[in-house]
Amino acid sequence: MNKFSPLCHVDDLENDCTKGFLENENGQDAIFIVKKNGELYGWKNACPHVQGAPMAWRKDQYLNTQKTHLTCFAHGALFDPTTGLCIQGPCLGKTLEKVELFVSSEGIVSFLDLNNKNKES
């Protein structure tokens, strides 16, 4: 059975900001969350232009300077932060891979961890 794995508290996420999680052996976050208009959106940190290319130019920096679009700083691609759709750049029309999020009644933000399978629920 798949399991939701906790990431942070909802109050740890500021509006119009992004935060990365699950740092890998290369020091890159595997996923990130953007908070836009009070809503949370989870995405894998991988530009669809080049398989697995990380998007942030530094820790937690996934938005352009106007904070209107997610940006792949390697390729200059711009993505809608709520849909993941590329609206400009070499991967035009492609989308980021969505990460399913869940916010508990206590405000704990978790993601559906497809790699963490438990036999017990």
Side-chain angles (χ1 to χ4, degrees):
M1 176 177 228
N2 294 323
K3 176 184 170 186
F4 280 92
S5 295
L7 296 171
C8 64
H9 192 275
V10 71
D11 292 340
D12 296 335
L13 303 165
E14 296 179 36
N15 205 42
D16 291 326
C17 288
T18 55
K19 186 167 180 62
F21 298 93
L22 306 178
E23 190 173 302
N24 65 21
E25 63 276 356
N26 298 324
Q28 302 290 333
D29 293 314
I31 64 175
F32 66 94
I33 296 174
V34 59
K35 187 173 186 179
K36 198 77 176 156
N37 299 321
E39 297 292 323
L40 302 180
Y41 303 91
W43 305 106
K44 285 200 174 179
N45 181 19
C47 182
H49 177 235
V50 174
Q51 179 95 14
M55 294 180 45
W57 66 279
R58 69 177 188 168
K59 178 75 174 146
D60 299 332
Q61 300 300 311
Y62 296 91
L63 288 169
N64 61 354
T65 55
Q66 298 84 11
K67 296 188 176 191
T68 56
H69 293 92
L70 299 169
T71 302
C72 177
F73 288 94
H75 308 110
L78 294 178
F79 300 86
D80 181 287
T82 63
T83 66
L85 178 67
C86 180
I87 59 157
Q88 178 181 311
C91 49
L92 185 65
K94 294 183 180 179
T95 58
L96 299 173
E97 190 173 339
K98 186 176 183 176
V99 174
E100 293 294 329
L101 299 177
F102 173 77
V103 181
S104 72
S105 58
E106 294 84 20
I108 302 300
V109 179
S110 302
F111 77 105
L112 182 58
D113 187 352
L114 299 175
N115 297 317
N116 188 355
K117 298 181 188 248
N118 275 345
K119 292 182 181 175
E120 300 176 30
S121 35

